Amino acid sequence: MHDAPEEKTAGVTPFLYCSDIPLFHVSAGVPVSQALAQASDLLALAKALAEDAAFIRETDRYAWAAHFLTEMGKAVVDDVVNAVSPRSGKTLSTEK
């Protein structure tokens, strides 16, 4: 019995918009386990920065860093969902 090959990212999820045009997309072909590990790291960093932002009021750089890391992590998770969901011809809607 052979293990089924690991699913890979779909590469359809955009993130970080400039004037309603996506600046970046998740890359296709990344093994799901690696993509989810990376998303977890991005979201853990975002959480830490959001906590810092709550206590350090002299600057908003922590909040913005958390925002961008969260957006990147969400895009990876959304793309993985597209890759592993039953094929219906539709992609997961992505919010800006």
Side-chain angles (χ1 to χ4, degrees):
M1 181 177 202
H2 294 281
D3 290 332
E6 183 175 10
E7 292 282 347
K8 299 190 184 305
T9 53
V12 298
T13 308
F15 64 96
L16 192 58
Y17 287 78
C18 297
S19 301
D20 295 330
I21 300 168
L23 187 59
F24 298 107
H25 284 80
V26 174
S27 295
V30 178
V32 163
S33 61
Q34 292 177 23
L36 290 175
Q38 185 64 52
S40 179
D41 290 345
L42 290 167
L43 295 172
L45 288 170
K47 179 183 180 287
L49 286 168
E51 288 172 352
D52 290 347
F55 294 107
I56 301 172
R57 306 228 183 252
E58 296 83 34
T59 181
D60 63 355
R61 71 176 173 243
Y62 299 100
W64 280 110
H67 167 76
F68 289 122
L69 289 168
T70 302
E71 188 170 349
M72 291 165 52
K74 179 187 180 315
V76 172
V77 171
D78 288 350
D79 204 78
V80 166
V81 169
N82 272 314
V84 300
S85 294
R87 306 287 187 238
S88 66
K90 297 180 181 178
T91 59
L92 183 69
S93 65
T94 54
E95 294 180 24
K96 294 182 200 176

